[in-house]
Every structure is written in C-alpha cells, then in structure tokens.
C-alpha cells in the first residue's frame, strides 16, 4: 500500500517537473499576442494583463478556499470539523462575495470602454498617417497603396513609427485580418469598409494571417508585414514603380480566382479598383442607406 502511494506521488512530481521544464522554454517571442511591437498591440496587451490580474483576485481565493473546504471537511474517521446543518445565511459574507465581482466587472468595463474608443483613433498624433486598402481574396491578400499608387500581394510594407489606417474589405467570403504583434483582428466584409489602425514602433517582419475559415486554401492564407524606416520605405516605393508591372483589370480577374500565389508587387493599379470591388459586392446599397440616414438626421 505504501509502495503504491509512493509511486503515485512520484508520478505527480514527475509530471509537475516536466511541465515546468517545458514551460520554461516558452518565452514571449513564441506567443506573438504577448509580444507587442506597437502602441495598439501594447494597449491591448495591457488590457489582457489587467483582466488576468483582476480575475486572479477573484479566482485564486475561491480555489484556495475550495481546496481548504475539501480537505477540512472530508469524510474521515475522527474528523471534528464544525457541522452546522441549520446554518443558511450570513449577511456579511453575502456583501463580500457580491461586492468583489461587481467591483471587478466595473473596473474591467471602465478600462475596456476607454481603450475601445481610443483604438478607433490614430495611435499616434505625430507625423502624417498613411492609408492602405486591403482586400481578402481566395486565398490571398491584396494591398493597395492609394497615396503611393502601388500594390502588393501577400505582403505589405509600412514605415516605422507611422500610424497606418488599414481599410478592409473582401472580394470573396468573409474573412478576418490579423497581425497579432501590431493589434487585434478585424473582419473583412463584402461591400463594406472597416477601418483598423495599426502602427509598428520597431523595425522587423511581423506575421499576418487570415483568422476566419474560408475553404480549402485557408491554412496558406498568410502574409508578411515588413516595417522599416521611412527612408528605406520611400526607396522601396521608387524601386517598385521602376521595376514592377502594372496591375490591370485582367490581372485582377485572374488574381481573384480561388488559388494560392506567391508574393507579388505592381507599379500601379486601376484608379477605382477598391471602390469597384466594394460596389459590386453591394457597397452602393450601403452608401445609399448611409446617405438616407444622414439626411434624416439633418432633417430631424
């Protein structure tokens, strides 16, 4: 009996030690969500940490008390723990265990609402922000640079320390645009534009992915966000304009067909391509509804 108990305790200790060894190799760099590289991702990371701390304040005492009750009141010969079957109410305890979760939810709600509104604005007021129009296709990403006049596929370059407004839509099933080290995900919807502000404070290459299942090629629908200083970014724009082909409507028709492609770059694209993509997926009806709503608001 004693030998069996000793073996059982040895197994538990072995599993605990193995878990510690394995977890010791898991740095923040292996978990991109926990390795922010810009102000948007940093704000969201801070909110995650705050949530964990606040929930731990509530959960840890409950788990400790649960373990104490199980041990103290276990069915064992000679156990002299207090037994009061007639007890059913304690106002002081009621106030405590209702006040703590209400306080936790109140604090968490305040910071969540505050940060949600803050993240709808440019993350940095310094410098001129830039716009990149993003279209999710089956199963690739098209990036249009309306101010620079170029386009890329499956990778996007941005200057460091510059707020970038990603305008998101789709010319395929609904998808989700996500660069974990720069910020949270946002959906790409047919006929609609959703805005997502991101910024990279550090030079580097960041992992981007589709985060919504969209069929056979979904697992390969990745892209790369390359952040580099403004001077190198401007030189790259010049190089693309001088050496890359144009993106024509015929090229786009081929590109939007389901399939996988390698990284591509184009020196120009049709001027109304993004708006045409929106309109053919119902965008003109959203514009009409918005115009009617704005007119109604002005009249009232």
């Amino acid at each position: 009996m004693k030998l069996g108990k000793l073996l059982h305790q040895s197994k538990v200790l072995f599993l605990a030690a193995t878990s510690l060894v394995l977890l010791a190799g898991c740095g923040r760099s292996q978990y991109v969500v926990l390795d922010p590289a810009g102000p948007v991702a940093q704000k969201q990371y801070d909110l995650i940490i705050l949530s964990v701390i606040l929930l731990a304040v509530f959960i840890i005492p409950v788990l400790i008390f649960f373990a104490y009750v199980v041990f103290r009141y276990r069915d064992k010969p000679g156990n002299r723990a207090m037994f009061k079957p007639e007890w059913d109410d304690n106002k002081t305890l009621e106030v405590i265990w209702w006040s703590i979760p209400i306080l936790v939810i109140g604090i968490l709600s305040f910071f969540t609402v505050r940060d949600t509104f803050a993240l709808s604005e440019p993350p940095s007021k310094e410098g001129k922000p830039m716009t990149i129009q993003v279209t999710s296709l089956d199963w690739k990403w098209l990036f249009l640079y309306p101010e620079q006049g170029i386009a890329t596929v499956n990778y996007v370059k941005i200057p460091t320390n510059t707020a970038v407004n990603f305008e998101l839509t789709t010319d395929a099933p609904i998808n989700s645009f996500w660069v974990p080290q720069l910020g949270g995900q946002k959906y790409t919807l047919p006929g609609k534009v959703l805005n997502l502000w991101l910024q990279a404070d550090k030079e580097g290459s960041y992992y981007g992915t589709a985060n919504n299942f969209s069929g056979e090629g979904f697992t390969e629908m990745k892209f790369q966000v390359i952040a580099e200083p403004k001077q190198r970014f401007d030189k790259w724009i010049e190089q693309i304009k001088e050496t890359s082909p144009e993106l024509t409507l015929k090229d786009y028709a081929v590109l939007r067909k389901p399939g996988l492609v390698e990284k591509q770059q184009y020196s120009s694209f049709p001027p109304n391509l993004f708006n045409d993509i929106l309109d053919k997926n119902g965008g003109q009806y959203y514009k009409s509804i918005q115009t009617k709503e704005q007119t109604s608001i002005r009249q009232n």
Side-chain angles (χ1 to χ4, degrees):
M1 184 68 180
K2 289 184 177 179
L3 180 60
K5 187 176 180 181
L6 183 62
L7 288 173
H8 176 70
Q9 291 177 343
S10 300
K11 288 179 182 176
V12 172
L13 288 173
F14 174 76
L15 289 174
T18 304
S19 300
L20 286 174
V21 170
L22 293 175
L23 290 175
C26 299
R28 287 178 61 175
S29 60
Q30 280 79 38
Y31 297 94
V32 287
V33 174
L34 304 180
D35 188 23
V40 175
Q42 184 64 53
K43 192 176 288 291
Q44 293 172 341
Y45 172 80
D46 293 342
L47 191 57
I48 291 173
I49 298 301
L50 176 66
S51 303
V52 170
I53 293 173
L54 289 176
L55 294 177
V57 168
F58 179 69
I59 292 174
I60 290 177
V62 169
L63 293 177
I64 293 174
F65 187 66
F66 173 76
Y68 169 76
V69 169
V70 169
F71 178 80
R72 182 69 181 89
Y73 296 95
R74 69 192 186 282
D75 185 13
K76 180 182 178 182
N79 190 340
R80 297 183 179 180
M82 185 186 301
F83 180 61
K84 298 174 65 177
E86 71 282 0
W87 180 85
D88 62 357
D89 182 51
N90 186 306
K91 297 300 181 189
T92 302
L93 291 178
E94 290 276 356
V95 170
I96 292 174
W97 62 51
W98 279 106
S99 299
I100 293 176
I102 289 173
L103 183 63
V104 168
I105 292 173
I107 295 173
L108 197 56
S109 299
F110 170 78
F111 285 103
T112 301
V113 171
R114 185 199 65 175
D115 290 350
T116 299
F117 280 94
L119 292 175
S120 66
E121 302 292 333
S124 172
K125 303 298 182 185
E126 298 178 1
K128 181 184 175 184
M130 68 176 289
T131 298
I132 295 179
Q133 296 167 330
V134 184
T135 303
S136 63
L137 302 169
D138 277 336
W139 295 278
K140 66 216 55 123
W141 293 93
L142 173 65
F143 300 94
L144 304 178
Y145 301 65
E147 293 149 4
Q148 290 76 20
I150 68 163
T152 59
V153 175
N154 286 343
Y155 82 101
V156 57
K157 278 199 178 186
I158 60 174
T160 52
N161 299 309
T162 300
V164 182
N165 178 26
F166 286 92
E167 295 181 345
L168 311 174
T169 191
T170 184
D171 199 9
I174 293 174
N175 219 307
S176 183
F177 177 88
W178 192 26
V179 187
Q181 280 187 274
L182 300 185
Q185 64 166 323
K186 206 157 198 176
Y187 283 107
T188 60
L189 304 176
K192 294 200 73 174
V193 177
L194 298 185
N195 297 84
L196 176 65
W197 286 99
L198 297 178
Q199 179 174 320
D201 287 343
K202 305 173 186 175
E203 183 180 348
S205 176
Y206 302 105
Y207 170 78
T209 184
N211 204 34
N212 196 66
F213 180 73
S214 58
E216 182 183 355
F218 162 72
T219 55
E220 301 298 325
M221 197 172 167
K222 316 295 182 189
F223 62 94
Q224 187 182 21
V225 180
I226 302 170
E228 56 188 20
K230 183 73 166 55
Q231 287 185 338
R232 280 166 47 192
F233 175 78
D234 291 339
K235 286 184 179 179
W236 173 75
I237 295 290
E238 293 176 7
Q239 181 186 357
I240 295 294
K241 284 180 172 294
E242 292 173 358
T243 62
S244 300
E246 298 179 357
L247 174 65
T248 64
L249 289 176
K250 187 176 179 181
D251 295 329
Y252 178 73
V254 175
L255 195 62
R256 73 178 296 272
K257 292 180 180 178
L260 303 176
V261 299
E262 299 294 328
K263 294 177 182 175
Q264 299 176 13
Q265 49 278 321
Y266 299 95
S267 59
S268 66
F269 58 87
N272 294 318
L273 178 59
F274 193 72
N275 287 331
D276 289 344
I277 292 171
L278 286 171
D279 288 345
K280 79 173 186 177
N281 289 297
Q284 72 272 30
Y285 302 113
Y286 288 117
K287 291 176 187 173
S288 175
I289 293 171
Q290 286 178 340
T291 303
K292 288 180 181 177
E293 289 177 347
Q294 290 170 353
T295 303
S296 175
I297 291 172
R298 282 197 295 270
Q299 289 175 346
N300 294 330

